[in-house]
Amino acid sequence: MEKIYDTIILGGGPAGISAGVYCARGNIDCAIIDTSLLGGQPTNYLEIENYLGFSSIEGWELSEKFEQHLDKFNVEKFTMEEIQNVDLISNPKVIKTLKGEYKAHSVIIATGAKSTKLNVSGEKEYTGKGVSYCAVCDGAFYKDKTVVVVGGGNAAVEEGIYLTKFASKVYIVHRRDSLRADKIVQERAFKNEKIKFVWDSVVEEIKGDSKVESVVLKNVKTNKTTEMKTDGVFPYIGFTPNCDNFNGQLKQDEKGFIVTDEYMQTSISGVFAIGDVRVTPLRQVITAVADGAVAGVSAVKYLEKVKEEVRV
């Protein structure tokens, strides 16, 4: 007989793992499907200082603790599965991967978001050849070299600080004249002698031969362009939701983030969205975990209601 889960969670980052824990505690049959290993973005963070209960913890360690908590409830995990198609409209919902097909009465979307691209000449050509979206992954390759970090939020400034462990000079290029990062993060960056800020500027082009050699910067106030030599470029200008497999099936904002209510319910009954993939004022590990808790409880209540209606 074909198995139909009560809930399938798409994504195994902090939000998805939290949802799995709360679904299991609600005694519903759930599974997590992820295109990679569980853990999500925190596995790329060297250090996390704003997760309650830990004044400082390495990202991989926190992710490991999350998964250990999940395993206590024996939630099924299907990792390294490339999702091909998701049908959220049908009942049951259908998720097709390269390895098989899964069905569920409800779905919790926790697919997260990926780094927004600069969309400038040279970015695609030099990705992996000097353009990187993960300082923790690639920082060690830039020992005693010069790098450019693009952005002004927490991610950009924190990763810029991290890169000073290796690079001799880190330029943080920001399109405004002040940072959006938390004040404590800003203070650390301003005190770091290896960091220099380039204000009111954007990257127009990334240049090089076999690898990155320079960036062309444009001052947004004067329109003047300058060329700066660099060995690497790390863009941190925001995120784009991972919604390719279900775009257009539910309500999204102009950037593609999924719209939900306070219960994490989307525009489709029985479909919930949590974490970085949804419209939210804050994208942090702690808010993702909270989203997962709300969605897990909401899914349990939704399924109880459906089963009650069927009995009636």
Side-chain angles (χ1 to χ4, degrees):
M1 184 178 178
E2 182 181 42
K3 180 169 184 176
I4 301 177
Y5 290 91
D6 288 325
T7 300
I8 284 181
I9 301 162
L10 301 179
I17 291 176
S18 175
V21 168
Y22 275 82
C23 283
R25 285 174 59 86
N27 199 31
I28 62 174
D29 186 16
C30 68
I32 294 178
I33 299 175
D34 201 306
T35 56
S36 61
L37 298 175
L38 266 59
Q41 289 190 32
T43 57
N44 295 323
Y45 300 159
L46 179 69
E47 196 172 34
I48 294 174
E49 296 182 318
N50 55 3
Y51 190 80
L52 200 63
F54 299 95
S55 58
S56 177
I57 187 170
E58 292 187 39
W60 68 266
E61 185 181 0
L62 185 60
S63 295
E64 191 175 73
K65 289 181 180 296
F66 286 167
E67 189 169 0
Q68 289 170 352
H69 193 166
L70 178 74
D71 289 343
K72 175 183 176 181
F73 296 96
N74 298 314
V75 173
E76 286 190 77
K77 300 177 291 185
F78 301 100
T79 58
M80 305 301 291
E81 296 224 15
E82 184 177 340
I83 297 173
Q84 296 294 294
N85 182 262
V86 178
D87 180 0
L88 300 173
I89 308 298
S90 65
N91 192 14
K93 321 298 182 187
V94 182
I95 296 94
K96 293 181 180 179
T97 74
L98 284 179
K99 295 182 179 180
E101 182 175 285
Y102 304 88
K103 294 183 178 182
H105 296 296
S106 65
V107 171
I108 298 175
I109 301 170
T111 48
K114 55 183 173 288
S115 296
T116 300
K117 303 295 189 292
L118 296 171
N119 290 322
V120 298
S121 175
E123 180 179 21
K124 183 177 180 180
E125 294 87 336
Y126 295 111
T127 296
K129 301 175 182 178
V131 175
S132 172
Y133 304 92
C134 179
V136 175
C137 307
D138 299 327
F141 294 117
Y142 296 90
K143 186 173 177 60
D144 299 325
K145 296 185 177 182
T146 298
V147 298
V148 168
V149 174
V150 187
N154 280 334
V157 181
E158 287 175 346
E159 299 304 88
I161 294 171
Y162 172 72
L163 286 166
T164 62
K165 295 176 180 287
F166 309 100
S168 58
K169 179 67 71 174
V170 175
Y171 290 95
I172 296 182
V173 177
H174 186 39
R175 66 180 303 118
R176 299 180 178 83
D177 58 7
S178 61
L179 299 171
R180 293 178 289 109
D182 294 340
K183 293 299 181 183
I184 191 171
V185 176
Q186 292 188 37
E187 289 171 4
R188 289 176 188 163
F190 290 139
K191 290 178 181 177
N192 195 311
E193 294 181 354
K194 286 188 175 183
I195 294 177
K196 182 177 180 180
F197 290 90
V198 182
W199 304 109
D200 303 315
S201 299
V202 295
V203 174
E204 287 276 282
E205 184 181 359
I206 299 172
K207 301 173 70 173
D209 187 5
S210 59
K211 58 184 179 60
V212 169
E213 295 177 354
S214 66
V215 291
V216 176
L217 303 178
K218 176 184 176 181
N219 186 293
V220 296
K221 290 185 176 178
T222 65
N223 287 325
K224 180 182 178 181
T225 60
T226 56
E227 188 168 342
M228 175 188 292
K229 290 188 178 299
T230 185
D231 300 292
V233 181
F234 290 80
Y236 287 98
I237 58 172
F239 296 96
T240 302
N242 293 318
C243 294
D244 292 347
N245 291 302
F246 36 80
N247 274 327
Q249 294 187 54
L250 33 61
K251 187 176 180 180
Q252 297 165 266
D253 71 2
E254 66 279 359
K255 294 182 179 179
F257 291 98
I258 300 172
V259 177
T260 71
D261 63 15
E262 61 186 311
Y263 302 101
M264 305 299 140
Q265 171 71 56
T266 69
S267 57
I268 301 175
S269 181
V271 178
F272 307 87
I274 55 179
D276 289 355
V277 76
R278 81 177 188 96
V279 177
T280 177
L282 185 64
R283 290 184 169 83
Q284 297 284 309
V285 176
I286 197 163
T287 54
V289 169
D291 281 2
V294 174
V297 172
S298 296
V300 171
K301 291 182 177 179
Y302 166 78
L303 291 163
E304 288 174 348
K305 182 181 178 182
V306 170
K307 290 175 182 178
E308 182 63 33
E309 290 174 349
V310 170
R311 284 195 293 269
V312 172

